[in-house]
Amino acid sequence: MKTLYASLFYCLFLTCHALWAQDYPTNNDIHKRLQDIAKSSKNANLSSLGTTEGNQDIWLLTLGSDNQDQKPGIVIVGGTEGPHVLGVELALQFAERLLADHPNVLEHTTFYVFPNMSPDAYAQYHASLKYERLGNAITSDHDRDGSKGEDPYEDLNGDGLITQMRVKSALGTYIPAAEDNRMLVKADRAKGEAGTYLVYTEGIDNDKDHQWNEDPAEGIAFNKTFTYKFPIFEPFAGDYAVSQKETRYFIDYLFTQPNIYAFICFGPENNLSTPLAYNKQGNDKKIISSILEEDATVNKMISDLYNANVKAKPYKQTNQGTGGDLFQWAYFHFGRFSFSTPAWWIPEIKTEAKEGGDSKEKKDKEDVLPYEVNVMKWAEQEGLQELFVPWQPIAHPDFPNQTVEVGGLKPFATTTPPFRMVDSIAISHTNFIVEFTKLQPKLEWHNVRTQKLDGGLVRITADIYNNAPLPTHSQLGSKSRWLQKLKVSISKPQEQLVAGNPTQLIDHLKAYEKKTLTWIVKGSGNVTLTAGAPHTAYATNALKL
């Protein structure tokens, strides 16, 4: 009956949602939807970890049934970067769809959903001046010249968008693409191509340092503030790691939840459609800089699962971590399995094979469009010509007597699909996460035996077995003090144990691995064997001596 009510609520929600949702939600919309989710089920709890400098809440939606802290926990994160507005919607829809369509998953898994970790930057999507903002609402000196926010973006053509400006110059490094002269591509000097345009973001050099918009009026980016490979001195990173409220709220909470087993992030990084590769050289360093070998095997398995559920394949998408990002920190410094996906890419547009050429391989290579041209071909196929702002000449104070034009792709054009496409993306990713939970560790007691010995003694022998395709710990996590080892205990006081310890620790169990344990006890009565950790759940076995 509860499942029926949840399904009815969700159907009603979708009906209402379809009537008003023509675009991605505002921060206020997100709050209202989170409240609706929390009201829809006793297994959903909404809390605010705190507010940002821009007075936006950092929301946490916990989805779990009884004893939720004693079940493997999966962290779902949206809004790792402000421009990735799709991830926020996917995190919200995951929660809605899980409760309505897959409530049984909560019997063995707890989810910690952080729908938007960059609410200050995210708000720029709905602002009167739209641009791809990374930083929060504090003021920061990005170019480290002693002044804060003195060289922001300016809307020079008055269209409410920050796009590009191209300046005709003999010193240029860009040329119009042969396949579409609206788009600019890097001139290939090796082919004798001479650039004809310099390209900048739309704006004015306010501080006259011959750089444009290098010190915008925004703060620090959530996805640049983590400790792993912290990008010191880079813009939007701040003066030191974990310098911002958003990051501190997030990390402080995670360290209170030892049951967290894995992360799934919706953001620019990608190790799901394309897994991370093992690199022995990176493993041999004192500070590990490459995924460990056993974890790379797991990443490949989860990548295969992802690609079975999500059919869209990336086109020229290679970001697998840039430093200071959440995705890498969760693995390298927090020791958990960590997965990330942009969730959507503009697909590769196939073109007809060109005439001539020495081989099929050469033809295939020639037929690959420049990324910028591929974007426009896709937009035309989808009827989205409005993604491009036609080049418009302007008089620019920094370039007197030069030809300057403003235009190009609109903000968010390459990372944010039309909202009508989002439901199908959300369904496939929800299905992937549900399938992922079926692989997580499952501890079981097998071959439990008792043998009576002389003198009223009893030998107990049992196998603790991980009956799952995933290990109990990431290989890196088993080396980390942050991920608890498996605790095995027997409910007999020390004085009744002749051999074996009342409590012992096991570093980890690999997929389908067992460990045989033995105790010798004296006396009779009931005995309970318990094994596990918060992030694996606990297996118990009661026996009578």
Side-chain angles (χ1 to χ4, degrees):
M1 183 63 71
K2 294 175 182 176
T3 301
L4 176 61
Y5 286 151
S7 297
L8 289 173
F9 167 83
Y10 187 57
C11 291
L12 178 62
F13 171 82
L14 284 182
T15 301
C16 297
H17 186 61
L19 292 175
W20 58 261
Q22 302 299 322
D23 201 355
Y24 293 87
T26 65
N27 280 323
N28 285 338
D29 294 334
I30 292 168
H31 183 198
K32 292 174 183 176
R33 282 174 66 181
L34 288 170
Q35 288 180 315
D36 287 342
I37 294 169
K39 291 174 184 176
S40 73
S41 172
K42 69 173 186 178
N43 292 329
N45 179 66
L46 179 65
S47 59
S48 173
L49 300 183
T51 57
T52 68
E53 196 71 19
N55 202 33
Q56 298 291 339
D57 283 282
I58 298 297
W59 294 112
L60 165 63
L61 183 67
T62 305
L63 307 177
S65 58
D66 298 336
N67 301 315
Q68 57 189 228
D69 291 344
Q70 300 299 314
K71 298 173 182 177
I74 297 177
V75 176
I76 308 293
V77 189
T80 60
E81 289 191 0
H84 200 266
V85 298
L86 171 63
V88 175
E89 178 65 22
L90 293 184
L92 290 169
Q93 286 208 31
F94 165 75
E96 293 160 353
R97 294 180 186 280
L98 183 78
L99 291 172
D101 301 333
H102 311 280
N104 57 307
V105 173
L106 299 180
E107 296 174 7
H108 54 75
T109 306
T110 299
F111 292 93
Y112 302 97
V113 181
F114 298 84
N116 191 1
M117 289 308 304
S118 305
D120 292 349
Y122 176 92
Q124 204 70 43
Y125 179 85
H126 293 284
S128 57
L129 180 62
K130 183 178 287 193
Y131 64 91
E132 295 184 3
R133 174 175 167 175
L134 290 172
N136 59 12
I138 72 163
T139 56
S140 181
D141 181 14
H142 295 296
D143 59 353
R144 298 180 180 271
D145 64 353
S147 300
K148 295 181 178 181
E150 83 282 0
D151 199 359
Y153 307 105
E154 285 94 3
D155 181 12
L156 301 179
N157 62 348
D159 63 355
L161 305 169
I162 297 300
T163 52
Q164 290 181 314
M165 58 183 188
R166 65 182 188 182
V167 182
K168 205 158 194 178
S169 171
L171 302 177
T173 56
Y174 286 83
I175 59 174
E179 299 88 347
D180 187 336
N181 62 12
R182 295 172 297 176
M183 308 307 294
L184 299 175
V185 295
K186 276 277 193 180
D188 189 342
R189 302 293 187 186
K191 294 180 179 179
E193 295 175 348
T196 54
Y197 287 101
L198 295 169
V199 177
Y200 306 93
T201 54
E202 185 179 355
I204 296 172
D205 180 15
N206 295 279
D207 53 1
K208 307 305 177 186
D209 62 355
H210 302 290
Q211 298 183 60
W212 280 260
N213 315 314
E214 82 284 359
D215 198 12
E218 60 187 89
I220 306 304
F222 172 77
N223 211 33
K224 278 182 171 284
T225 57
F226 286 84
T227 53
Y228 181 73
K229 292 186 177 180
F230 174 67
I232 190 168
F233 300 130
E234 282 190 16
F236 305 103
D239 294 331
Y240 53 89
V242 198
S243 63
Q244 302 303 296
K245 290 181 178 180
E246 296 91 328
T247 320
R248 292 199 299 273
Y249 293 148
F250 184 74
I251 289 179
D252 285 348
Y253 181 79
L254 296 180
F255 278 116
T256 69
Q257 299 300 129
N259 64 318
I260 291 171
Y261 177 73
F263 287 70
I264 296 176
C265 307
F266 294 119
E269 297 82 20
N270 174 27
N271 73 326
L272 280 175
S273 71
T274 304
L276 295 173
Y278 168 68
N279 181 298
K280 187 176 187 303
Q281 184 177 6
N283 277 209
D284 290 342
K285 295 177 180 178
K286 183 175 181 181
I287 299 177
I288 296 172
S289 61
S290 171
I291 189 171
L292 300 188
E293 189 169 13
E294 293 176 11
D295 295 337
T297 300
V298 170
N299 195 167
K300 174 63 168 60
M301 177 174 63
I302 303 306
S303 176
D304 290 343
L305 179 68
Y306 180 82
N307 288 323
N309 284 275
V310 180
K311 302 303 182 183
K313 298 297 179 282
Y315 175 55
K316 294 189 175 181
Q317 202 283 346
T318 58
N319 181 358
Q320 293 194 310
T322 56
D325 53 277
L326 162 62
F327 155 63
Q328 291 190 98
W329 172 85
Y331 173 71
F332 286 101
H333 281 183
F334 200 50
R336 271 60 169 185
F337 286 114
S338 181
F339 306 101
S340 181
T341 175
W344 176 82
W345 305 265
I346 290 177
E348 180 179 359
I349 303 303
K350 301 294 184 181
T351 60
E352 293 183 6
K354 296 180 180 179
E355 296 291 334
D358 299 331
S359 66
K360 182 180 183 302
E361 181 181 353
K362 182 176 180 181
K363 286 183 183 179
D364 289 343
K365 185 175 181 180
E366 288 175 344
D367 291 343
V368 176
L369 294 172
Y371 178 74
E372 298 82 358
V373 175
N374 189 82
V375 172
M376 293 303 295
K377 293 289 186 186
W378 170 81
E380 290 170 5
Q381 286 189 7
E382 295 291 332
L384 299 171
Q385 286 82 357
E386 70 274 10
L387 291 185
F388 182 82
V389 177
W391 295 105
Q392 175 185 349
I394 62 165
H396 198 295
D398 297 331
F399 303 99
N401 303 317
Q402 290 182 261
T403 300
V404 181
E405 298 168 288
V406 171
L409 287 172
K410 290 184 178 181
F412 306 95
T414 61
T415 59
T416 308
F419 198 74
R420 59 181 167 79
M421 297 181 179
V422 174
D423 278 0
S424 62
I425 298 170
I427 290 170
S428 62
H429 283 80
T430 299
N431 291 341
F432 157 69
I433 296 172
V434 169
E435 291 300 311
F436 173 73
T437 65
K438 297 176 182 179
L439 307 181
Q440 66 194 22
K442 184 181 180 183
L443 297 182
E444 298 173 351
W445 287 103
H446 285 206
N447 302 320
V448 180
R449 305 177 301 277
T450 59
Q451 179 185 4
K452 293 188 179 297
L453 305 175
D454 294 339
L457 303 179
V458 178
R459 176 185 287 117
I460 302 172
T461 305
D463 296 335
I464 185 63
Y465 177 58
N466 177 24
N467 189 14
L470 289 177
T472 59
H473 299 62
S474 68
Q475 187 180 2
L476 189 61
S478 67
K479 300 175 181 292
S480 169
R481 60 181 175 176
W482 299 123
L483 198 54
Q484 292 185 19
K485 297 180 179 181
L486 301 177
K487 179 181 177 181
V488 182
S489 61
I490 183 172
S491 61
K492 275 290 185 182
Q494 180 72 55
E495 60 271 16
Q496 290 186 274
L497 281 174
V498 176
N501 295 316
T503 301
Q504 53 189 300
L505 300 178
I506 299 173
D507 287 343
H508 64 277
L509 289 175
K510 297 180 181 180
Y512 303 113
E513 183 182 14
K514 70 176 182 179
K515 185 173 179 62
T516 302
L517 301 158
T518 301
W519 297 266
I520 296 178
V521 301
K522 58 183 177 181
S524 58
N526 298 318
V527 171
T528 300
L529 305 178
T530 304
H535 68 277
T536 64
Y538 290 86
T540 61
N541 187 280
L543 61 152
K544 186 175 180 64
L545 299 181

